Amino acid sequence: MAAIQDIDAGTLTPLLKTSFLGRSLLSEAELESTNATAAELAAKNAPEGLVVLADHQTAGRGRNGRSWFSPQGKNLYFSFVLRPSCPPCAVPQLAIISALSIAKALDTPVVSVKWPNDVWMNGRKLCGILSTMSCTSAKTEYAVIGIGINVNIRDFPEGIQATSLALESGRDFSRAEVLAAVLNTIEEDYMLWRSHLSLEPFMERWRSLSMLDGKTITAEHGHETLVGTASGITADGLLKLTLPNGHTTLIAAGDTHIVMQ
Ligand code: BTN
């Protein structure tokens, strides 16, 4: 299958400042899901830092069983393999860090992060992140972090309320440049995280970018929906939700929605 024309190792590599992330690249015109392919390759010993990129996904996966809108030639759909020496419960932190890295790479005041790991611009979703892993009870074999960034798309199907870099800025972007900037920042942040295995060094960044803090939100997990005030995250990446009775509960996974500004 043909590689993506405007992003291949030839265009990406000169823009990379990484030592391992993106140095191994599989770039395909079409895949079902870059997460699925990256996980298959990780299970066959793909190296840490392998990036799998597709111009179009026929079955792009979102969180909680949703699909991810993946039209051809417009956006970025990629997944990478990490092999952190950490307990499996720490792996979701990698998606939180990735959201912070993307926000940093995009370098605009209108960007924000939304727990657990979305990147938004001007009140609309720009980017989604899906992490999966393979582990034993105590050891992480590998993590796959999949990222979809709406880059040059200007029309979304009805029902998808999202935005793109092009819609926010009125111009098109080079997908290779966006991808390289994101990979460069993610590797830097990942190295920092690896030396702490905690979000402690990222807490200030999260606080300054979080769109939920101080707002009344709903947090859905499974069949349960809690309402409360978002009060930040823990250094493990759990959402702190202050309930109407004043107690603060910690939420490990789920969807969040703002009810009141
Ligand atoms: C979300 O629901 O917000 C997460 C969306 C993650 C989408 C990306 S696109 C590249 C990678 N491959 C997938 O199948 N999903 C992720």
Side-chain angles (χ1 to χ4, degrees):
M1 192 168 280
I4 304 177
Q5 291 305 307
D6 62 339
I7 321 176
D8 55 16
T11 50
L12 187 68
T13 306
L15 304 171
L16 287 179
K17 296 178 188 147
T18 59
S19 61
F20 61 92
L21 191 57
R23 296 292 166 177
S24 187
L25 175 73
L26 175 68
S27 168
E28 297 283 0
E30 182 178 289
L31 288 173
E32 278 186 17
S33 153
T34 58
N35 263 39
T37 302
E40 272 167 35
L41 295 172
K44 293 180 191 154
N45 285 329
E48 182 167 62
L50 168 74
V51 170
V52 176
L53 179 69
D55 196 31
H56 167 52
Q57 297 185 115
T58 54
R61 299 176 186 172
R63 292 192 309 109
N64 298 327
R66 290 185 291 261
S67 58
W68 184 256
F69 177 56
S70 307
Q72 186 195 350
K74 295 284 178 192
N75 299 326
L76 281 168
Y77 321 110
F78 63 99
S79 304
F80 51 89
V81 175
L82 296 177
R83 297 188 179 279
S85 298
C86 72
C89 62
V91 167
Q93 294 176 32
L94 293 169
I96 291 182
I97 287 168
S98 299
L100 285 174
S101 305
I102 292 162
K104 187 174 180 182
L106 296 177
D107 191 24
T108 146
V110 293
V111 79
S112 53
V113 292
K114 178 168 171 283
W115 189 90
N117 43 44
D118 286 352
V119 181
W120 285 49
M121 255 190 191
N122 277 325
R124 284 184 180 243
K125 182 161 167 167
L126 176 87
C127 159
I129 301 173
L130 178 69
S131 67
T132 63
M133 70 177 121
S134 168
C135 59
T136 61
S137 58
K139 189 172 173 286
T140 305
E141 301 291 344
Y142 60 80
V144 169
I145 312 295
I147 298 178
I149 305 178
N150 298 325
V151 180
N152 292 323
I153 182 98
R154 287 163 193 263
D155 299 303
F156 289 95
E158 237 183 86
I160 299 187
Q161 294 216 324
T163 193
S164 68
L165 294 177
L167 280 174
E168 293 302 327
S169 65
R171 69 172 176 97
D172 278 357
F173 284 74
S174 148
R175 291 187 294 170
E177 280 176 16
V178 175
L179 178 58
V182 165
L183 294 177
N184 290 340
T185 318
I186 289 178
E187 183 179 294
E188 199 181 306
D189 286 335
Y190 173 61
M191 295 311 284
L192 177 63
W193 176 83
R194 246 179 31 174
S195 59
H196 291 75
L197 295 184
S198 148
L199 295 177
E200 204 54 63
F202 301 92
M203 297 300 270
E204 197 42 56
R205 265 165 74 189
W206 183 271
R207 269 192 286 274
S208 69
L209 289 169
S210 171
M211 61 186 272
L212 296 185
D213 289 14
K215 310 243 163 67
T216 304
I217 65 161
T218 58
E220 289 165 24
H221 183 44
H223 296 302
E224 199 181 23
T225 301
L226 294 173
V227 182
T229 306
S231 315
I233 60 170
T234 67
D236 298 330
L238 308 183
L239 176 70
K240 293 196 247 178
L241 187 71
T242 305
L243 302 172
N245 66 9
H247 292 151
T248 297
T249 187
L250 298 179
I251 298 177
D255 283 327
T256 51
H257 302 280
I258 294 178
V259 181
M260 252 169 23
Q261 293 292 329

